[in-house]
Amino acid sequence: MSGPNVAKEPGPQGEESPVAHSPLPDEKKKREYKEFGHDEEKPTHANVDMSLIELKAEDLYDKEKVDLETIVIEDVFKLLQCDENGLGDEEAQRRIELFGPNKLEQEEQNPFLQFLSFMWNPLSWVMEGAALVAIVLSNGNNQPPDWEDFIGIVLLLFINSAIGFYEERNAGNAVKALMDSLAPKAKVKRNGTWLEIESAGLVPGDMISFKIGDIVPADCRLTEAINVSIDQAALTGESLPQSKKLGDQCFSGSTCKQGEAEGVVISTGANTFFGRAASLVGQDDDTTGHLQKILAQIGSFCLVSIGIFVLAEILVLYAGFRYSYRRGLNNILVLLIGGIPIAMPTVLSVTLAVGAQQLAKHKAIVTRITAIEELAGVTILCSDKTGTLTTNKLTIDKATIRTYGPFSADDVMLLAAYASRTENQDAIDSAVVQALGDVSRARAGIKLLDFKPFNPVDKRTEITYREESSGKLKRVTKGMTGIIIELCSRNKTEELENRLEADVEEFATRGLRALAVAYEELDGQDPEGEGNGFELIGLLAIFDPPREDTKQTIDDALALGVKVKMVTGDQLAIAKETGRRLGLGDHMYPAKVLKDGPAPGSKHLSLDEMILDADGFAGVFPEHKYEIVKRLQGLGHLCAMTGDGANDAPALSRANVGIAVEGATDAARGAADIVLTEPGLSTIVHAIRGSRVIFQRMRNYSIYACAVTIRIVVCFAILAFAFKFDFPPFMVLIIALLNDGTIMTLSVDRVLPSMTPDSWDLAEIFSYAVAYGIYLTASTVALVAIIMKTTFFYDKFGVTFNGHPSPNGANDYQLHMIVYLQVAIISQALIFVTRSHGFFFMERPSVALLAAFCIAQLVSSIIAAYANFGFTQIQAISGGWIGIVWVWNLVWFAPLDWIKFAMKATVIKRLRERHEAAQAEQAITGVPITRTQSRAASIHESLYSNRVSFIRRAARKVGFGSKITMKPEELQRFSSIQAQRTGATLARNPSRTAA
């Protein structure tokens, strides 16, 4: 085990690792097994008159005067203007106003602004511009403003915004309800009486109490500590609890694993260590994500396409055909209204919101809705170890029990269980007793006479009992290896000690903590009498085991093309052992390589290459996790990060998808995009599959939306150029409205997820869109040409235009209706081609999509048959014409699949070959071809943001800037600064009751 390589002080689990000694003759039998910890300093007094509380800021930070790391508790009470009876209600209320509530602040989003945000993107701007054109600029040629088009456009905008707002609000409220249900409680002394309040109501100077199983509600100094052990894994990533004594600091978010304690609160809310770690979360701008970049590019494609043809119409219709102002404007309106995929942000948003509700069924709560799309493309999953891959619950590894005496491994386990508490247990006693399977065996067949619980001085437990079967008195002790072997006097040989030392060293290299067990018999019936001498009988290995489903989850993730890397604050040896057990591999590095880079002569040429190749990293601080995620993103990977502690929050925020596992701290949940409410990682595989289903729905819609844009602008521009065809803008609005209603059902469409990470290949999407759009344009232009130039339909089917075999010019009202029906039907039918990979009839759509399509086509056909709107240039057509249009569309629809296959075999194939060649070149040169930024701060892209971050990041810029260190000494030092600042605030605002 390479202890020196780990960049932070070890936690409480492992300095049982033997320290290598040169064996001196006098010390052969004295092996040293030190407990984890650090040198303690004796308490001191502040070098100022504590009766003068009004210290200046420079005094507070002058460690020569006030060093709260070491000053006695009495001085802390004076500095915080409180005592052991707690604060009064009035003083507590005053301090709430002074320091704020004890929770991380959440920004509430204004519902009205959230609603309006759906109309604030370039696509909506064009539609809003079209509305203004209809109402302001159309007032020409002695014609009134185009009220019908104006009202229709505004209605379309409002419908889209309302649907998106409703779905997102629902998702947001669900998350808020979940977070509210997780509000923690705290036991506090007010007016000399203990009360239970919400921990948000705590203030500096409050007296708090917590016991085994409680979460420490605020940063505090202990005023009373009975056998206290605190799990700080949420802050430091260490697996094992740390003993605390009177005067020690405990930090918000850590868990009491043993004993009871009282303490005085020194810091609350965003000023706690927990809150400061969360402040790193605010480093990344969350206004825009990966999906917004894609939306921006798709939007730009549509806008450029429309712009080109609008410019062409202005030149041709006004300069060439000498159109009147109003007539040309109506043609331009058709392109603006019909070409803009106005529903795109809403359709994608609704698809994501519905997807979020589906993921909730798998116990995954989505807090940043666009993270679903990014999860579909994730290629690397960086996972924290403690509490995420593992249970964060100590266990005895039965397979590695070592025996030294006449007892079997099962006997050693049973005797160790005798020497454990069966109630009010610490983590180790619980692990030993649980390992029996039947916990009642820990006291079966014996009568307890005396029990000595673990304490920090003796570092062992001991039981004296009478064996009921024989009536004999026996004694068993278990504890730290060095202490136990010193106790032993019977059958203690040089060979045994060498064997023990080798076993402990082996455990240490595998990241296992050793627990020695010894046994003796008593001759008489006096339970306090001397025994015949302890004999070492066994060595137990303690470790934090992987969750039951973790290995399967990792295998499933690998099958889905997602590589898993372990990134943990624990020791390298422990990380490697966990990696081996999970099949992750043990190709792991200590955190210092992130600073030093690969060693000279190693197989890695660069740090990026090393990070990409590694199975994981150990002994990392939050900034290391953050750096790893950032570098992986710089290499073109979409990166997900799982975690449960405050120390994971910065990396959770930086990752494209941050996932807080079940039981995660508030800081981790606040930084995460997805919050799991069920133990283990299996939910992540469900979420990845679910996100890929959602991605396929969005991709299908994107191809459809771009194709319809090309189809509308090219088709109506060609008709205007070729036939001087003036299609009424209002009917394009009807097409858009019916299209949007149908396309919304794509959010629940049946699709198959891909088995590899998804990515937006926009060249593919645009290529398909152009091919489909031009083909559908041809279907309409051909129909109009046959009607205008021939009497084919009159000759074959006897259909007429108000009794005439041919239309009355290009702008015959019935011809307008025929074109409306043809465009409406085949444009919407295109979705069945874009949603399938093979023939459209081989992949059954959802009932909702099919029903919506049928209803929309029924409405279109009824409009064609009966609509004689006086305000627009259309006239109802006969059933014969409706039948002809349907058959015409069916004939043109059939080859669409073959166009798709032809595109795959030619253009798409070449695009993919080019993409693969670029990737191969990247692999050879090591130069990243693409770079993926998380939350890219681009103004253009941010305009497409749906602003759906329902749980806002704790974005206040307080604390350490970009660095956090987690060493125990630093934690202690930090609490000193906290208490100093709190004291300074109180000094500036003295208590009203102060003399």
Side-chain angles (χ1 to χ4, degrees):
M1 178 168 116
S2 51
N5 290 342
V6 180
K8 68 174 171 184
E9 286 292 318
Q13 75 263 34
E15 280 194 36
E16 291 182 1
S17 318
V19 181
H21 293 289
S22 302
L24 299 174
D26 296 339
E27 293 189 354
K28 272 187 181 176
K29 295 197 177 181
K30 187 173 182 181
R31 269 89 165 170
E32 191 175 339
Y33 298 89
K34 292 165 66 179
E35 188 65 57
F36 276 158
H38 51 273
D39 294 336
E40 298 169 4
E41 296 179 44
K42 293 182 179 179
T44 62
H45 287 271
N47 296 328
V48 292
D49 184 353
M50 290 301 291
S51 64
L52 302 174
I53 298 298
E54 289 80 12
L55 294 170
K56 297 176 183 175
E58 53 267 28
D59 293 335
L60 283 170
Y61 285 98
D62 186 350
K63 291 186 71 175
E64 294 298 316
K65 293 181 178 178
V66 181
D67 185 355
L68 288 191
E69 287 181 21
T70 56
I71 65 170
V72 293
I73 285 291
E74 289 78 9
D75 285 359
V76 174
F77 277 126
K78 287 180 183 177
L79 193 65
L80 298 181
Q81 302 177 10
C82 61
D83 59 36
E84 290 192 353
N85 291 318
L87 302 172
D89 291 335
E90 190 178 334
E91 177 65 10
Q93 185 56 42
R94 186 181 78 90
R95 295 191 184 200
I96 279 274
E97 293 167 9
L98 209 56
F99 296 102
N102 179 36
K103 62 181 180 182
L104 300 185
E105 195 171 307
Q106 291 180 3
E107 258 179 56
E108 291 293 327
Q109 192 168 20
N110 184 304
F112 181 65
L113 293 178
Q114 187 184 351
F115 176 78
L116 290 183
S117 72
F118 280 94
M119 302 186 199
W120 189 256
N121 60 66
L123 298 180
S124 295
W125 293 343
V126 174
M127 286 299 276
E128 288 150 14
L132 288 175
V133 167
I135 196 69
V136 178
L137 301 182
S138 293
N139 196 9
N141 293 126
N142 297 317
Q143 290 180 292
D146 193 348
W147 286 104
E148 297 83 8
D149 286 341
F150 173 75
I151 292 169
I153 293 167
V154 170
L155 192 64
L156 194 61
L157 282 166
F158 269 86
I159 288 170
N160 276 297
S161 293
I163 292 170
F165 174 78
Y166 173 77
E167 291 291 350
E168 291 188 357
R169 207 69 187 163
N170 276 355
N173 290 339
V175 172
K176 191 173 185 300
L178 171 77
M179 294 306 177
D180 290 346
S181 72
L182 297 172
K185 303 284 186 185
K187 197 173 179 186
V188 63
K189 189 184 275 190
R190 293 274 170 86
N191 301 312
T193 307
W194 287 106
L195 309 167
E196 186 173 74
I197 63 170
E198 284 197 5
S199 65
L202 291 178
V203 292
D206 261 331
M207 290 298 299
I208 57 170
S209 166
F210 51 87
K211 61 184 185 306
I212 183 169
D214 290 347
I215 293 174
V216 180
D219 288 7
C220 63
R221 286 279 300 271
L222 296 185
T223 58
E224 195 173 305
I226 304 170
N227 202 21
V228 175
S229 179
I230 300 289
D231 179 2
Q232 295 189 159
L235 293 170
T236 63
E238 301 287 1
S239 306
L240 296 172
Q242 196 170 22
S243 295
K244 296 286 183 181
K245 63 183 187 307
L246 184 72
D248 280 351
Q249 302 82 21
C250 290
F251 293 92
S252 174
S254 53
T255 307
C256 181
K257 289 293 187 183
Q258 183 184 351
E260 296 181 19
E262 292 180 15
V264 57
V265 175
I266 60 171
S267 201
T268 58
N271 295 315
T272 61
F273 185 87
F274 188 92
R276 301 257 172 155
S279 74
L280 268 186
V281 166
Q283 282 192 12
D284 287 304
D285 179 21
D286 190 35
T287 56
T288 176
H290 189 248
L291 182 61
Q292 277 75 51
K293 294 205 290 185
I294 301 303
L295 272 174
Q297 288 168 292
I298 294 174
S300 299
F301 172 82
C302 295
L303 291 173
V304 168
S305 304
I306 293 164
I308 290 169
F309 283 90
V310 164
L311 195 61
E313 281 205 344
I314 290 171
L315 293 173
V316 173
L317 302 187
Y318 286 121
F321 296 164
R322 304 293 179 182
Y323 270 22
S324 66
Y325 171 71
R326 181 66 179 266
R327 185 181 177 186
L329 204 60
N330 283 344
N331 276 282
I332 291 168
L333 267 179
V334 168
L335 301 196
L336 291 178
I337 297 168
I340 290 291
I342 182 60
M344 185 169 71
T346 302
V347 169
L348 298 187
S349 180
V350 170
T351 302
L352 291 169
V354 170
Q357 290 171 359
Q358 290 170 345
L359 289 180
K361 293 175 185 174
H362 293 297
K363 308 298 182 186
I365 305 296
V366 179
T367 62
R368 182 174 66 87
I369 214 163
T370 52
I372 298 172
E373 176 269 339
E374 295 182 37
L375 186 59
V378 161
T379 51
I380 293 178
L381 173 63
C382 292
S383 177
D384 187 49
K385 179 187 75 71
T386 308
T388 304
L389 296 174
T390 63
T391 60
N392 197 17
K393 185 179 177 183
L394 298 183
T395 303
I396 303 296
D397 188 359
K398 294 183 184 177
T400 59
I401 294 175
R402 302 284 190 266
T403 59
Y404 303 99
F407 295 93
S408 68
D410 287 341
D411 292 336
V412 172
M413 270 304 315
L414 184 60
L415 289 170
Y418 287 166
S420 304
R421 277 186 167 179
T422 54
E423 54 190 34
N424 195 20
Q425 301 163 309
D426 64 17
I428 292 176
D429 281 356
S430 174
V432 172
V433 173
Q434 291 294 329
L436 287 178
D438 180 4
V439 295
S440 63
R441 289 180 59 205
R443 290 292 178 266
I446 66 169
K447 183 179 180 183
L448 174 65
L449 300 176
D450 184 39
F451 189 89
K452 295 177 181 174
F454 178 89
N455 66 70
V457 178
D458 295 333
K459 294 183 175 21
R460 67 186 180 93
T461 63
E462 182 182 290
I463 185 174
T464 306
Y465 64 92
R466 177 178 285 111
E467 194 173 57
E468 292 178 351
S469 59
S470 65
K472 287 185 179 179
L473 264 59
K474 299 183 178 180
R475 190 175 285 143
V476 179
T477 183
K478 74 173 192 332
M480 198 172 150
T481 313
I483 301 290
I484 298 298
I485 195 65
E486 283 298 309
L487 276 178
C488 292
S489 57
R490 192 156 47 94
N491 297 332
K492 181 176 174 184
T493 64
E494 181 73 17
E495 182 190 352
L496 180 131
E497 289 196 72
N498 289 338
R499 221 181 109 203
L500 173 67
E501 190 163 13
D503 288 339
V504 172
E505 196 161 340
E506 184 202 334
F507 282 5
T509 58
R510 293 177 55 189
L512 304 174
R513 181 177 181 177
L515 187 72
V517 185
Y519 161 91
E520 70 175 354
E521 294 185 359
L522 282 71
D523 294 331
Q525 293 298 311
D526 180 9
E528 294 184 6
E530 288 289 322
N532 63 347
F534 278 111
E535 177 183 1
L536 182 71
I537 60 170
L539 194 68
L540 306 180
I542 304 173
F543 76 116
D544 180 12
R547 292 183 184 271
E548 288 180 8
D549 63 344
T550 300
K551 190 174 191 316
Q552 184 60 48
T553 299
I554 289 170
D555 291 344
D556 290 346
L558 291 171
L560 290 169
V562 180
K563 181 169 171 56
V564 182
K565 293 182 186 293
M566 184 195 302
V567 182
T568 177
D570 229 328
Q571 293 185 41
L572 184 62
I574 296 173
K576 284 187 173 184
E577 178 68 11
T578 305
R580 282 192 287 266
R581 289 174 185 253
L582 290 173
L584 265 181
D586 57 2
H587 194 198
M588 301 190 187
Y589 300 98
K592 74 166 193 172
V593 302
L594 297 171
K595 181 181 178 183
D596 301 344
S602 72
K603 66 174 183 176
H604 301 116
L605 300 175
S606 67
L607 179 57
D608 283 348
E609 192 180 323
M610 176 183 268
I611 289 175
L612 202 55
D613 182 56
D615 295 321
F617 293 89
V620 299
F621 299 154
E623 61 265 30
H624 294 140
K625 294 183 179 185
Y626 186 92
E627 182 69 17
I628 289 165
V629 170
K630 189 176 177 182
R631 281 182 175 272
L632 288 171
Q633 289 172 333
L635 291 168
H637 289 277
L638 285 184
C639 199
M641 168 79 184
T642 69
D644 63 345
N647 63 329
D648 299 321
L652 287 174
S653 173
R654 173 70 206 189
N656 299 90
V657 184
I659 303 169
V661 298
E662 190 263 347
T665 59
D666 282 343
R669 284 201 301 263
D673 305 310
I674 296 175
V675 178
L676 306 186
T677 58
E678 207 169 62
L681 289 183
S682 58
T683 310
I684 292 176
V685 173
H686 289 302
I688 289 173
R689 286 200 186 99
S691 67
R692 290 186 185 178
V693 165
I694 294 158
F695 182 93
Q696 289 299 322
R697 291 171 182 157
M698 292 193 296
R699 180 181 177 276
N700 297 344
Y701 170 72
S702 300
I703 295 174
Y704 169 82
C706 293
V708 168
T709 294
I710 296 293
R711 186 261 193 284
I712 295 286
V713 297
V714 176
C715 173
F716 287 111
I718 289 175
L719 288 177
F721 300 158
F723 303 104
K724 297 188 178 179
F725 184 86
D726 301 333
F727 193 71
F730 186 78
M731 297 314 291
V732 173
L733 262 177
I734 298 293
I735 292 172
L737 199 58
L738 290 175
N739 269 0
D740 289 357
T742 302
I743 295 305
M744 290 295 173
T745 60
L746 267 183
S747 61
V748 292
D749 191 23
R750 294 175 74 254
V751 293
L752 294 172
S754 68
M755 291 306 290
T756 54
D758 287 311
S759 62
W760 288 97
D761 194 328
L762 294 177
E764 272 190 32
I765 289 174
F766 298 154
S767 300
Y768 278 126
V770 169
Y772 294 144
I774 290 173
Y775 177 79
L776 295 183
T777 294
S779 73
T780 306
V781 172
L783 179 64
V784 172
I786 290 171
I787 291 173
M788 292 286 295
K789 302 296 184 184
T790 72
T791 56
F792 174 79
F793 293 113
Y794 173 74
D795 297 338
K796 295 292 182 183
F797 308 106
V799 288
T800 64
F801 291 88
N802 293 321
H804 302 288
S806 296
N808 181 24
N811 290 310
D812 185 286
Y813 286 8
Q814 285 189 322
L815 179 57
H816 285 170
M817 187 65 92
I818 290 168
V819 171
Y820 156 75
L821 186 61
Q822 194 273 334
V823 170
I825 293 170
I826 200 164
S827 295
Q828 220 172 81
L830 175 65
I831 192 60
F832 296 111
V833 175
T834 64
R835 67 172 293 281
S836 58
H837 295 283
F839 287 105
F840 78 93
F841 52 81
M842 299 295 287
E843 296 178 32
R844 180 166 62 87
S846 67
V847 174
L849 177 59
L850 206 53
F853 173 77
C854 293
I855 291 168
Q857 299 321 310
L858 181 64
V859 170
S860 291
S861 299
I862 290 170
I863 288 173
Y866 299 106
N868 287 297
F869 302 145
F871 57 82
T872 193
Q873 302 167 347
I874 56 163
Q875 186 181 335
I877 55 176
S878 65
W881 273 119
I882 293 173
I884 286 169
V885 171
W886 269 97
V887 171
W888 178 268
N889 280 339
L890 286 172
V891 169
W892 280 83
F893 179 78
L896 272 169
D897 275 330
W898 293 102
I899 290 176
K900 176 169 61 185
F901 300 147
M903 287 292 292
K904 278 185 180 178
T906 55
V907 177
I908 304 304
K909 184 181 178 183
R910 277 199 291 276
L911 285 172
R912 288 182 178 170
E913 284 172 352
R914 198 169 68 185
H915 182 65
E916 285 166 8
Q919 284 185 322
E921 183 184 342
Q922 176 184 346
I924 294 167
T925 61
V927 178
I929 302 298
T930 57
R931 298 180 70 83
T932 302
Q933 289 181 308
S934 175
R935 327 282 195 265
S938 157
I939 295 173
H940 177 49
E941 289 153 10
S942 70
L943 295 172
Y944 287 87
S945 171
N946 285 331
R947 295 160 179 83
V948 290
S949 298
F950 302 117
I951 295 182
R952 303 297 297 171
R953 298 344 190 216
R956 287 184 291 177
K957 305 295 183 186
V958 293
F960 302 109
S962 62
K963 298 288 181 186
I964 286 184
T965 52
M966 294 285 179
K967 293 182 181 179
E969 296 91 335
E970 288 302 315
L971 291 176
Q972 194 176 37
R973 164 80 181 133
F974 179 68
S975 75
S976 168
I977 296 169
Q978 289 173 319
Q980 289 170 358
R981 288 180 179 172
T982 302
T985 306
L986 285 171
R988 290 194 300 271
N989 299 271
S991 171
R992 296 182 188 122
T993 58

